[in-house]
Amino acid sequence: DSIPVSHFEKLEAFLASGGRIAIAMNRVDGDLQSSRGTGVTTGLEAWLKAKGIEVEENFVIDAQCAAIQLQQQTSFGMFSQQVSFPYLPVIATFSEHPITQGLESVILQFVSTVKYSGDTTKRFTPIMFSSEKSASQPAPVFFDVQRQWAESDFTQQELPVAAVVEGRLAGSGRSRMVVIADGDFAINGPPQQARRPR
């Protein structure tokens, strides 16, 4: 759903008064039933981009990832198998920052990269990164859950997936914003389906 303009006006006023905002947003979404990954547009990405903060419409893939349960039919019946799924990166590289202090790892589901294209009046600090064996794929994508991933699939390293931006974000007041490129990062699923690092 699109976010109404009136909501952005309230956010602008809050930032102009020196407010602090935490944003966890999905720029992409994945559907394992249809094996498709698509872009997400809400208006939030355009609002952030106007401030020089870009949450890109891509999927981070990582060799250091969580697994999904795959059901397979055989002549003996159905059986379940755990399959590594690079679209669920296990983030274990963090900047030294009060927000990430004490974190060991976080599973991010269909996360995107974050970059800064604004001016030098703001301070942009990436705080969470993919591993040294990662990459990004522009949306849309097709999920091949049976794919045998090779080391050559992961040609990038330490892609930023969350950042802190400080400075004059609206008006003349100094404010701060945390942007995490996964709106579901705090949700690990119900106890029976909780995702686990592999």
Side-chain angles (χ1 to χ4, degrees):
D1 292 336
S2 295
I3 299 171
V5 173
S6 60
H7 291 194
F8 291 117
E9 290 170 352
K10 289 183 171 80
L11 290 176
E12 287 287 324
F14 183 67
L15 288 173
S17 68
R20 299 172 181 184
I21 295 178
I23 294 176
M25 65 177 287
N26 291 330
R27 191 66 181 92
V28 291
D29 187 37
D31 181 358
L32 292 177
Q33 297 295 329
S34 65
S35 299
R36 299 254 173 231
T38 56
V40 173
T41 302
T42 62
L44 188 56
E45 65 287 336
W47 181 74
L48 288 171
K49 190 170 184 177
K51 300 182 181 309
I53 307 156
E54 292 187 53
V55 179
E56 299 182 284
E57 192 176 351
N58 62 18
F59 289 84
V60 172
I61 57 171
D62 202 318
Q64 184 174 294
C65 62
I68 58 171
Q69 190 131 344
L70 189 61
Q71 298 282 338
Q72 291 187 315
Q73 177 73 44
T74 68
S75 56
F76 301 106
M78 293 288 289
F79 79 97
S80 296
Q81 179 184 10
Q82 292 281 320
V83 177
S84 292
F85 192 58
Y87 296 92
L88 303 179
V90 176
I91 304 299
T93 304
F94 306 97
S95 294
E96 287 213 15
H97 195 279
I99 291 173
T100 55
Q101 189 172 4
L103 285 178
E104 291 182 11
S105 66
V106 179
I107 298 174
L108 297 183
Q109 175 179 302
F110 308 125
V111 68
S112 302
T113 53
V114 180
K115 71 176 186 178
Y116 184 68
S117 58
D119 56 40
T120 57
T121 62
K122 304 175 192 77
R123 186 169 70 182
F124 179 81
T125 309
I127 57 171
M128 299 170 67
F129 304 87
S130 64
S131 78
E132 293 185 355
K133 293 180 181 177
S134 55
S136 63
Q137 296 178 341
V141 300
F142 171 75
F143 302 132
D144 180 359
V145 294
Q146 306 224 359
R147 176 176 175 174
Q148 297 296 311
W149 294 85
E151 199 162 312
S152 59
D153 293 317
F154 306 104
T155 57
Q156 297 171 285
Q157 57 186 349
E158 296 188 353
L159 299 170
V161 295
V164 176
V165 188
E166 302 168 270
R168 291 189 175 93
L169 299 174
S172 58
R174 294 189 66 78
S175 52
R176 182 180 300 168
M177 189 184 308
V178 178
V179 178
I180 301 168
D182 174 22
D184 309 302
F185 81 98
I187 303 168
N188 196 33
Q192 300 82 4
Q193 298 171 351
R195 293 184 196 91
R196 301 187 186 286
R198 189 162 186 205

